[in-house]
Amino acid sequence: RISVVYHARVSFLMLRRYKDAVKILADLCAYMQRGFKSGQLRKLPGSDQFNKQYERMLSLLAILNHICPTNGWMEDSVARVVREKHSAKLEAASSMEEWFQSPKFISTDPSFGLYRQQVQIFLQEMSTQPAGHKLRTYLKLYTSLPVEKLAKFHDMWVPDFLPL
């Protein structure tokens, strides 16, 4: 189940379905977190792989949360872990390339070029994100201002401003 969900998340990320990717990843991370706490996942063979996969998923959740703020879509415990582990690193990262983690089925061997191609696609997608973040910030600002104040900014009377 973990591998299927991880690959579905990669697909959703590349399809720009960030909300779906966050929902799937957050649910799986919460499931794995409960399994680690109860000890159920440690009993299974290959539990070290679960830890590695869990860390990869947390870093992708950090990226997705940075791209598409996800207030209330994650359990609080998962959101706290993502914030504790990755918020400082994400803010300090000089480029998103440092954060890209391709699935295992894509070879990281430079002679194949597939990994480099995936990184370029990822960076191209991420280059459009700052404009969207800035737009969201302005939209939040404008929705919090009263109409009277907006009309005053535009040097208009409220009845003239409302039809706009």
Side-chain angles (χ1 to χ4, degrees):
R1 175 183 173 186
I2 293 171
S3 181
V4 171
V5 171
Y6 177 73
H7 288 89
R9 186 259 334 141
V10 170
S11 300
F12 282 142
L13 180 66
M14 291 301 175
L15 290 171
R16 297 183 191 164
R17 292 177 58 184
Y18 304 125
K19 291 179 182 179
D20 293 331
V22 168
K23 288 177 187 175
I24 289 173
L25 261 181
D27 289 345
L28 184 61
C29 283
Y31 171 78
M32 290 180 76
Q33 196 175 48
R34 287 190 295 273
F36 288 137
K37 284 183 181 177
S38 68
Q40 290 176 340
L41 288 179
R42 288 188 208 112
K43 295 176 187 175
L44 297 173
S47 64
D48 56 332
Q49 290 297 331
F50 291 140
N51 286 330
K52 290 178 186 176
Q53 191 78 349
Y54 180 69
E55 292 300 322
R56 270 192 231 127
M57 287 190 276
L58 286 177
S59 67
L60 261 303
L61 265 177
I63 291 173
L64 287 167
N65 198 25
H66 187 71
I67 295 169
C68 177
T70 56
N71 300 333
W73 294 353
M74 289 188 267
E75 286 186 16
D76 291 338
S77 58
V78 174
R80 186 176 56 251
V81 170
V82 168
R83 228 179 1 262
E84 288 172 359
K85 288 191 175 195
H86 298 291
S87 65
K89 268 201 300 188
L90 189 59
E91 295 299 325
S94 59
S95 73
M96 284 290 199
E97 187 170 356
E98 297 173 25
W99 280 85
F100 182 77
Q101 297 177 354
S102 68
K104 284 185 180 180
F105 61 85
I106 296 175
S107 173
T108 57
D109 184 3
S111 63
F112 289 122
L114 295 175
Y115 177 75
R116 192 78 224 143
Q117 183 181 8
Q118 285 293 315
V119 170
Q120 289 302 322
I121 291 170
F122 177 74
L123 292 176
Q124 185 179 11
E125 290 294 321
M126 296 303 108
S127 68
T128 62
Q129 295 308 316
H133 183 67
K134 189 174 184 178
L135 178 63
R136 272 194 302 275
T137 305
Y138 280 123
L139 288 174
K140 285 180 186 177
L141 171 70
Y142 282 118
T143 56
S144 66
L145 290 175
V147 175
E148 293 80 19
K149 200 168 203 174
L150 286 172
K152 189 176 179 181
F153 283 147
H154 290 282
D155 296 325
M156 298 174 77
W157 296 98
V158 174
D160 296 334
F161 182 73
L162 284 177
L164 295 177

